Amino acid sequence: ADRCTIWIYDKEKNELWTKVAHGIPKIRIPANTGIVGHVVSTQTEYFTNDAYDDPNFNRDVDKKTGYKTKALLALPLYDNEGNILGAFQAVNKMTDTQEFSQEDIGILKMVAGYSEKSISNAMLNEEIIKTQKEIIFLMAEIGESRSKETGNHVKRVAEISALLAKLYGMNYEEAELIKMASPMHDIGKVAIPDDILKKPGKLTDEEFDHMKNHTTIGYKLLNNSDRVIIKSSAIIAAQHHEKWNGKGYPNRLKGEEIHPYGRISAIADVFDALASPRVYKPAWEYERIKKLFLEEKGQHFDPEMIEIFLDNFDKFVEIIETYKDI
Ligand code: C2E
Ligand code: SIN
Ligand code: SIN
Ligand code: SIN
Ligand code: FE
Ligand code: FE
């Protein structure tokens, strides 16, 4: 055939969209239109050798692409459970007669059997990744929900960390990884008692020592996983309170001993903690925050990252403003 297309049925939108298509960009059509629509709704194969004479044919796609469909063959695709997945479509047979036959249907059915497996596995994989992301985020929100004033804290820290990662020169995938992993940085706070976590005033030294355990607790919770997102979360949970000058906790790591994810999330976490009100402190003015970051450059924070952070300060402020707690 001159062109082949794999259409995927989008149940929620009741549309068909082109997963793989020769010669045309990704398009969507209503699920009840065209020969593919007919094939998907009736779940039977279908072919015509004179498309423009066929009442089921939808000319809109040709109109959009300038292509001339003559012969068209389509058959339904099913997932592993036998649910309709979409359709396989072949257009314009490249033989002298230029006509499809029942025999072509038989051959393509066999081919479709193989593509069905790959497509439904690929979609399952996508589903698993999406589910992973959602569960991580949910867990992080549960962790934060005990201290009421931090509603969007995890969301903001995620966005701030991803932006800083990108500006620092990490590629898109790694920035996305940090975005997914950083919401878990404080998950260890689930094990901190309410009278410490929600104390309106300053913590005593003893209380603060207790609070510091949230880093190691989080690390122990997360580090057993083999999944890369959760492994990254473990690093961030363990290291987000380490300081560049070696005076942080829990391990007093110094400079580049601290993983870049730890150095990035330290900046994101403190920025958000200062810009937002906490039970123990009001929100700070941005100018005051800027001043502190300048003072802490090379002390608390990686000096190179602070330079990038301050050079792009407005972009980070925008994130805070976008996801402000109401
Ligand atoms: P958090 O509220 O999310 O704060 C994260 C980090 O932001 C703090 O880590 C600290 O580095 C920075 N930060 C927050 N507020 C201030 C501030 O007023 N001044 C300065 N210079 N930095 C600030 P840190 O100190 O390791 O604290 C970890 C967590 O311990 C905090 O997370 C919070 O949950 C708790 N915490 C710390 N101090 C107090 C306190 O005085 N009272 C209460 N109730 N909790 C506290
Ligand atoms: C149809 O299936 O009726 C039109 C789809 C196409 O031309 O690609
Ligand atoms: C937090 O959970 O990040 C802060 C807790 C607090 O506001 O005391
Ligand atoms: C604190 O909140 O007392 C810690 C300040 C710091 O980050 O050095
Ligand atoms: Fe923390
Ligand atoms: Fe935090």
Side-chain angles (χ1 to χ4, degrees):
D2 186 34
R3 292 185 173 190
C4 291
T5 308
I6 289 175
W7 295 87
I8 302 290
Y9 177 46
D10 180 341
K11 223 184 279 169
E12 274 152 40
K13 296 200 172 112
N14 200 32
E15 287 175 343
L16 291 159
W17 60 276
T18 50
K19 174 87 178 166
V20 181
H22 294 153
I24 55 168
K26 181 171 167 177
I27 50 172
R28 282 182 169 268
I29 59 171
N32 57 358
T33 57
I35 289 169
V36 274
H38 177 74
V39 162
V40 167
S41 59
T42 60
Q43 303 196 15
T44 49
E45 64 263 15
Y46 192 98
F47 74 90
T48 174
N49 286 313
D50 190 358
Y52 278 75
D53 227 24
D54 193 301
N56 284 321
F57 180 66
N58 172 9
R59 301 180 184 196
D60 291 349
V61 177
D62 271 7
K63 261 187 222 148
K64 244 185 232 162
T65 59
Y67 188 77
K68 184 78 195 308
T69 300
K70 195 175 157 287
L72 191 151
L73 177 159
L75 43 89
L77 297 172
Y78 302 95
D79 69 13
N80 294 336
E81 271 107 48
N83 303 309
I84 189 84
L85 191 67
F88 182 89
Q89 172 191 286
V91 174
N92 289 353
K93 195 166 179 193
M94 302 292 280
T95 51
D96 291 342
T97 61
Q98 299 191 321
E99 294 194 339
F100 287 118
S101 65
Q102 197 57 42
E103 201 191 337
D104 293 325
I105 294 264
I107 294 166
L108 279 168
K109 258 187 172 166
M110 201 178 70
V111 176
Y114 292 108
S115 38
E116 279 170 345
K117 276 267 167 298
S118 327
I119 297 166
S120 53
N121 287 345
M123 290 179 77
L124 198 62
N125 217 347
E126 238 169 75
E127 187 63 24
I128 290 169
I129 293 169
K130 274 192 201 153
T131 307
Q132 241 190 60
K133 287 185 194 175
E134 268 177 42
I135 290 175
I136 289 171
F137 207 79
L138 270 173
M139 278 178 67
E141 281 191 325
I142 291 166
E144 290 290 336
S145 65
R146 280 192 41 238
S147 46
K148 282 235 167 52
E149 46 289 85
T150 54
N152 278 330
H153 176 52
V154 294
K155 178 94 198 150
R156 291 188 301 259
V157 170
E159 296 290 337
I160 291 163
S161 301
L163 176 58
L164 186 53
K166 265 179 236 158
L167 294 170
Y168 185 61
M170 290 182 184
N171 63 27
Y172 174 82
E173 279 75 26
E174 199 161 24
E176 283 298 299
L177 177 62
I178 294 180
K179 184 152 124 186
M180 290 183 272
S182 59
M184 301 288 265
H185 69 275
D186 274 339
I187 193 75
K189 282 182 181 172
V190 294
I192 305 298
D194 266 0
D195 56 338
I196 298 177
L197 189 64
K198 295 183 180 170
K199 184 176 174 177
K202 191 131 186 70
L203 299 178
T204 64
D205 288 350
E206 197 188 329
E207 287 167 337
F208 194 56
D209 280 345
H210 210 102
M211 179 59 95
K212 285 177 180 169
N213 292 328
H214 80 277
T215 51
T216 7
I217 294 166
Y219 177 76
K220 283 182 188 153
L221 279 173
L222 298 164
N223 193 47
N224 293 323
S225 171
D226 288 329
R227 302 270 74 84
V228 61
I229 304 174
I230 300 179
K231 270 255 182 290
S232 308
S233 298
I235 296 170
I236 292 172
Q239 300 190 357
H240 72 282
H241 289 296
E242 297 288 359
K243 292 186 180 178
W244 183 260
N245 62 11
K247 293 180 181 169
Y249 63 88
N251 292 321
R252 301 181 71 89
L253 300 178
K254 203 171 178 168
E256 290 183 355
E257 286 170 13
I258 309 166
H259 193 285
Y261 299 176
R263 282 178 265 147
I264 286 173
S265 56
I267 295 173
D269 185 38
V270 173
F271 179 51
D272 190 62
L274 294 176
S276 317
R278 288 283 196 261
V279 285
Y280 61 94
K281 59 162 270 297
W284 284 21
E285 305 275 334
Y286 289 123
E287 281 313 308
R288 187 173 168 204
I289 297 175
K290 247 181 165 166
K291 201 168 146 270
L292 177 114
F293 275 106
L294 208 53
E295 284 162 16
E296 294 288 347
K297 177 179 166 183
Q299 293 302 315
H300 190 155
F301 307 112
D302 178 337
E304 189 190 338
M305 287 184 183
I306 287 298
E307 210 144 284
I308 296 166
F309 179 75
L310 291 176
D311 282 348
N312 294 276
F313 196 71
D314 291 350
K315 293 184 191 137
F316 292 99
V317 168
E318 205 179 306
I319 294 173
I320 300 276
E321 296 297 326
T322 306
Y323 302 102
K324 237 189 162 87
D325 294 312
I326 25 157

